Amino acid sequence: MNLRLYPIIILLLAYALGIFISIKLSIESNDLTLVALISSLILSVILYFWQKKSATIKNSQFKEIFFLLFIVIGFVLLGVFRTSNYWDYSSENHFSKQNADFFIAEISNPPIEKAKSYKTELKIINAIDFEGEFSKASGNAIVYFQKDSLTQHLQFAQQLIIPNKFKEIEAAKNPNQFDYKQFLKFNNIFYQAYFKANEIEVLNTKSRNITVWFFSKIYNLRTYYRTKIQELLPNKDNAAVASALILGDKQLLHKDLQEKYQDTGAMHILAVSGLHVGIISLGIMLILGFMHGFKAGNKVKGLIAIIFLWLFACLTGLAPSVTRATLMFSIIILGQQFIGRPSKIFNSLAASAFILLLLNPLLLMNLGFQLSYLAVIGIVVFHPQIMKLYEPKNYFIKKAWEINGVAFSAQILTLPITIATFSQFPLIFVLSNPIAILGATLILSIGLAFLISVSINYFIPINFITETFAYILNFCLTTLNYLLGLVQQIPFGTAKGLYINNFQYYLLFGILVLFAFHFTNKWLLKPIILLFSIFTGSLIFDNYQLNEQQELSIFQATNNSIISCRTGNESTIFHSYEDVGQLNMQVENSLLAQGIQSKEIFGITDTIETPNILKNNAIIQFENTQMLIIDKQNYYHTQHWHKTVDYILVKSNPFLNLDNLNKQFLPKKIIFDGSNAQKQCSYWLAECEQRNLPCHFTATDGAFTVILDD
């Protein structure tokens, strides 16, 4: 790739590097960054005019590189400065810095119904102190409202008075566990709260912000469409898929349905993205094709297409994938219909990414943003190369080959993220993608016609037409779900239990990037082979190391206990959950990181005896390591023991005499797990500190893990 033809890519990479540096180094907003930014830009301008007139510098290539270096540094600093100033908590008005008893807040996302609450996001507007004085406040928070006749009617853009009950979101406590705190951090959210129905007051005031007013109308329209889909599509699975595919609304998707699409590699059609925007763009251009012969017809056609694309993007919630696609297609349409020449796809991609990151630099860490751009880059780079491998003569075989080529190309650069995030990879997407893409095209086309008829039906009764579209839509959805269900049943269709560490993640990504460039730079083949050898060696070494280890782990689980005894890639787990499914959700990723391929699960009170584990109600002996378990039931029995143990696990809030425990058992460490009350553990931890007793509390210190000696 000749980067001179793609200057926006250089600027984007420099700016993205600045964002990455700011996030990883946690750079705070300061005047020095601003001074450095302005200085760099001024120097770049001075250097530009100086090198134009200077007779002393004859090497034009040197001058170009020197000038480019200043530009790159400037955009790196721009990324640092923009990101460091974007964090909500950097504001002096952030609600966490306010000494307030109450806040006035606005509901900034439509409430989502959970099992026992309603979840939404609040934008804090004002703080109210104990004297009733108002002051400006800012920031966003995740909140849960108790289910009640009042809270079930809460809507987007409503304003509330709420008490100051916010708590900082806690980080993940178990190895490789999904870090909810980090996820919300990159959405500029750091606090959460739970409110009972009688703790909130709904205000009658309405926001005067035109943007809020517009999106409130959009969300109401979206809710209306979702309700109509549920009414006219009798099958719940069909309604859920239609709502996700057409409206970008995934509220109705249940776990089994998500797994069906994920296992078959068809999940991408449920996330409104470039495929959906491309279909709509093509449809609009075909419908408005008659305008080509009119004066300024192309410009009017382009303008109408752009307006409709952005209305669709707003209707689907402006997710990163659809925003990226809409912005990119808008740039392409502007180039074709207004300027009169097609834009280069890489410039369009880079321009759309640059604009989005200028508006929100934290999008760089958004999973949807990363997958969206990497998938499109993969298609642009690899699809032409795949098409050269085989050129079928039959029309239908050719189309199937092209669709699978697109699907395979999209998977290449997203592979590291797919493995690291989902720990699996669909092997049968070759079968599922032609079905999924054809189905998505039909469903989206018919679905949009259905929404238009629903809208018209609101004013003029055309029930027959609406019901006809609903019938056709329901048939297409039933067929799609049935066929994907058949594909899902194919044995070994999905490679599950995959895991790579951070080093392997970046190494694999580097290999794939070099592979993308090697089509025009054949000399890159040797570095690719070298890096792949290192990657393979790292996997083999990690597997060998794990197989040679024995590890005792006590995981953090609120109000529960989880103990794991690992030998190689096998684990024996003891837990207190009533539902094993909850256990798997809590520790599945942690076990993957430990290389676990098989596990046996027992209750926390079970008695078992295996070649390397002996357990009763009060003690676990794992090889030569002994751990005493103390709870309310067995504490008084253990008072009469006089035996040294390696560790003591305290669970379920027993009465403790720490002095006696230490004298009796001389443990290396006392572990308090998440089944104990936080307040009680705080008291125990203070006592341990006074007596210099080594201790560990999983709720604050995270999972306790020790590798046993040979």
Side-chain angles (χ1 to χ4, degrees):
M1 180 190 293
N2 187 351
L3 290 179
R4 292 185 181 183
L5 300 176
Y6 306 95
I8 189 67
I9 294 179
I10 299 174
L11 303 182
L12 171 64
L13 292 176
Y15 179 66
L17 178 61
I19 296 172
F20 186 78
I21 290 171
S22 180
I23 290 172
K24 291 300 179 182
L25 299 183
S26 300
I27 297 174
E28 298 288 341
S29 172
N30 55 65
D31 294 334
L32 181 62
T33 309
L34 179 60
V35 171
L37 170 65
I38 295 172
S39 301
S40 175
L41 293 175
I42 291 173
L43 281 171
S44 299
V45 173
I46 292 172
L47 180 64
Y48 175 77
F49 287 106
W50 172 65
Q51 62 93 13
K52 281 277 188 183
K53 302 195 179 235
S54 175
T56 58
I57 301 178
K58 297 180 179 179
N59 190 332
S60 60
Q61 189 175 11
F62 172 76
K63 290 189 291 183
E64 185 179 318
I65 292 172
F66 202 46
F67 173 63
L68 180 62
L69 180 63
F70 273 94
I71 292 293
V72 167
I73 292 172
F75 274 84
V76 169
L77 290 173
L78 176 63
V80 172
F81 176 72
R82 176 70 178 121
T83 307
S84 61
N85 281 276
Y86 189 78
W87 300 109
D88 274 348
Y89 62 71
S90 64
S91 170
E92 293 181 0
N93 293 327
H94 192 267
F95 70 88
S96 63
K97 301 174 183 178
Q98 305 277 357
N99 185 21
D101 291 339
F102 295 91
F103 293 107
I104 295 178
E106 186 175 86
I107 298 176
S108 54
N109 269 328
I112 298 173
E113 186 176 1
K114 298 291 183 180
K116 298 180 181 179
S117 63
Y118 293 100
K119 177 186 176 183
T120 189
E121 185 179 324
L122 292 185
K123 180 183 179 182
I124 311 299
I125 301 172
N126 294 110
I128 309 174
D129 63 21
F130 69 97
E131 294 180 348
E133 294 292 328
F134 284 69
S135 58
K136 285 186 178 181
S138 63
N140 299 284
I142 291 291
V143 297
Y144 298 85
F145 295 112
Q146 175 192 23
K147 277 194 172 181
D148 185 82
S149 57
L150 170 66
T151 55
Q152 70 176 345
H153 297 297
L154 292 176
Q155 295 179 353
F156 172 78
Q158 279 187 319
Q159 293 188 357
L160 315 169
I161 296 179
I162 53 174
N164 187 356
K165 292 177 59 179
F166 292 101
K167 293 182 179 180
E168 192 171 351
I169 297 164
E170 293 185 352
K173 301 300 182 183
N174 295 323
N176 204 45
Q177 187 179 21
F178 173 69
D179 195 339
Y180 188 56
K181 179 176 183 176
Q182 180 169 281
F183 169 77
L184 290 178
K185 172 186 174 182
F186 295 135
N187 286 277
N188 230 342
I189 298 172
F190 304 89
Y191 291 86
Q192 64 181 0
Y194 176 84
F195 298 110
K196 294 180 180 178
N198 60 5
E199 291 179 319
I200 67 171
E201 181 182 345
V202 181
L203 301 177
N204 291 324
T205 55
K206 294 184 179 180
S207 175
R208 297 178 181 178
N209 188 311
I210 187 66
T211 305
V212 173
W213 175 86
F214 173 75
F215 278 103
S216 67
K217 298 302 180 185
I218 289 292
Y219 283 129
N220 290 340
L221 182 62
R222 189 182 187 189
T223 303
Y224 174 72
Y225 284 149
R226 185 180 68 238
T227 303
K228 284 298 178 182
I229 287 173
Q230 288 178 278
E231 285 179 6
L232 296 170
L233 299 183
N235 185 290
K236 290 184 178 180
D237 284 0
N238 290 351
V241 173
S243 185
L245 201 152
I246 302 167
L247 299 175
D249 187 336
K250 298 181 182 179
Q251 289 188 47
L252 304 178
L253 292 174
H254 55 79
K255 185 179 178 181
D256 290 342
L257 190 59
Q258 286 181 331
E259 284 183 356
K260 177 190 290 186
Y261 279 79
Q262 192 167 309
D263 289 348
T264 56
M267 193 68 183
H268 61 94
I269 70 169
L270 299 184
V272 179
S273 59
L275 171 66
H276 307 69
V277 176
I279 292 169
I280 293 171
S281 177
L282 180 62
I284 293 171
M285 288 301 182
L286 289 174
I287 293 170
L288 300 179
F290 68 92
M291 300 181 69
H292 180 72
F294 294 98
K295 185 179 180 181
N298 285 339
K299 293 181 180 180
V300 174
K301 180 172 66 174
L303 183 62
I304 293 173
I306 290 172
I307 291 172
F308 269 95
L309 288 179
W310 281 105
L311 285 174
F312 175 73
C314 291
L315 182 64
T316 57
L318 286 177
S321 57
V322 70
T323 307
R324 182 271 309 162
T326 305
L327 192 56
M328 188 186 72
F329 274 97
S330 297
I331 293 170
I332 292 172
I333 291 170
L334 283 172
Q336 290 178 338
Q337 307 300 331
F338 286 80
I339 302 174
R341 59 185 176 87
S343 58
K344 292 182 173 64
I345 185 64
F346 282 115
N347 277 336
S348 299
L349 277 171
S352 64
F354 191 69
I355 292 170
L356 292 176
L357 292 176
L358 275 175
L359 295 173
N360 179 3
L362 300 184
L363 277 177
L364 185 67
M365 310 305 291
N366 181 282
L367 183 65
F369 181 88
Q370 295 171 3
L371 288 172
S372 176
Y373 275 93
L374 289 174
V376 175
I377 293 170
I379 292 169
V380 174
V381 172
F382 295 107
H383 186 254
Q385 305 300 326
I386 293 173
M387 290 300 98
K388 293 177 183 177
L389 297 176
Y390 175 56
E391 296 181 4
K393 303 297 182 183
N394 183 279
Y395 175 81
F396 295 103
I397 296 176
K398 183 179 180 180
K399 290 301 175 185
W401 175 244
E402 287 177 354
I403 291 173
N404 275 311
V406 169
F408 186 78
S409 303
Q411 304 275 3
I412 295 174
L413 290 180
T414 61
L415 179 63
I417 297 178
T418 303
I419 294 175
T421 306
F422 305 109
S423 303
Q424 65 178 47
F425 184 78
L427 303 175
I428 48 177
F429 67 88
V430 173
L431 295 176
S432 64
N433 267 279
I435 298 169
I437 292 174
L438 179 60
T441 303
L442 289 172
I443 290 166
L444 184 60
S445 304
I446 298 166
L448 291 175
F450 168 75
L451 295 186
I452 292 170
S453 69
V454 165
S455 302
I456 296 172
N457 196 53
Y458 185 82
F459 301 99
I460 304 170
I462 51 168
N463 291 327
F464 174 75
I465 297 175
T466 303
E467 290 171 1
T468 301
F469 280 128
Y471 178 82
I472 299 170
L473 186 61
N474 193 62
F475 174 78
C476 292
L477 287 160
T478 301
T479 304
L480 175 63
N481 287 330
Y482 174 74
L483 292 175
L484 290 180
L486 291 179
V487 175
Q488 187 188 24
Q489 294 173 18
I490 297 174
F492 310 109
T494 305
K496 296 187 177 182
L498 305 177
Y499 173 77
I500 52 176
N501 59 35
N502 286 338
F503 171 72
Q504 293 158 355
Y505 171 85
Y506 289 112
L507 200 58
L508 178 58
F509 191 73
I511 292 168
L512 295 173
V513 170
L514 291 180
F515 183 67
F517 279 100
H518 104 283
F519 295 111
T520 53
N521 301 274
K522 298 300 181 183
W523 61 272
L524 288 173
L525 195 58
K526 289 183 179 179
I528 291 171
I529 294 172
L530 175 63
L531 291 178
F532 185 75
S533 300
I534 296 171
F535 175 76
T536 306
S538 175
L539 290 175
I540 294 171
F541 175 77
D542 282 357
N543 188 56
Y544 171 78
Q545 193 175 43
L546 288 169
N547 284 334
E548 293 297 311
Q549 285 179 350
Q550 291 179 314
E551 186 175 70
L552 173 66
S553 300
I554 300 168
F555 294 109
Q556 163 59 16
T558 304
N559 300 324
N560 281 281
S561 299
I562 305 174
I563 304 168
S564 170
C565 301
R566 178 178 69 84
T567 300
N569 57 13
E570 298 178 351
S571 179
T572 302
I573 298 173
F574 305 94
H575 72 98
S576 60
Y577 281 101
E578 293 182 2
D579 181 6
V580 177
Q582 290 181 305
L583 167 70
N584 290 330
M585 287 177 62
Q586 191 72 23
V587 300
E588 187 173 12
N589 286 342
S590 299
L591 297 178
L592 282 173
Q594 293 178 340
I596 301 299
Q597 295 179 6
S598 64
K599 59 181 183 285
E600 288 187 287
I601 299 175
F602 299 93
I604 196 73
T605 58
D606 288 352
T607 298
I608 71 161
E609 183 175 352
T610 69
N612 59 351
I613 299 174
L614 177 64
K615 180 191 176 297
N616 57 35
N617 191 40
I619 199 163
I620 291 179
Q621 179 164 334
F622 181 28
E623 294 294 349
N624 297 321
T625 299
Q626 289 187 329
M627 182 171 71
L628 180 67
I629 302 174
I630 294 180
D631 59 19
K632 289 180 179 179
Q633 280 71 38
N634 63 24
Y635 174 70
Y636 293 102
H637 298 291
T638 58
Q639 283 185 311
H640 305 292
W641 291 11
H642 295 281
K643 186 177 181 180
T644 301
V645 297
D646 296 287
Y647 303 99
I648 294 177
L649 170 63
V650 179
K651 61 182 283 290
S652 304
N653 304 300
F655 171 79
L656 286 184
N657 186 318
L658 291 172
D659 287 325
N660 289 345
L661 276 183
N662 190 44
K663 289 176 184 178
Q664 274 183 270
F665 302 108
L666 299 174
K668 297 176 184 176
K669 187 165 282 189
I670 300 174
I671 301 110
F672 307 101
D673 72 5
S675 65
N676 299 291
Q678 184 97 20
K679 187 176 181 181
Q680 180 63 64
C681 283
S682 299
Y683 172 76
W684 287 333
L685 293 172
E687 280 200 330
C688 287
E689 187 175 356
Q690 289 176 1
R691 293 162 173 75
N692 292 320
L693 297 178
C695 61
H696 185 104
F697 182 30
T698 59
T700 55
D701 302 324
F704 173 78
T705 300
V706 59
I707 297 174
L708 308 186
D709 297 327
D710 293 334

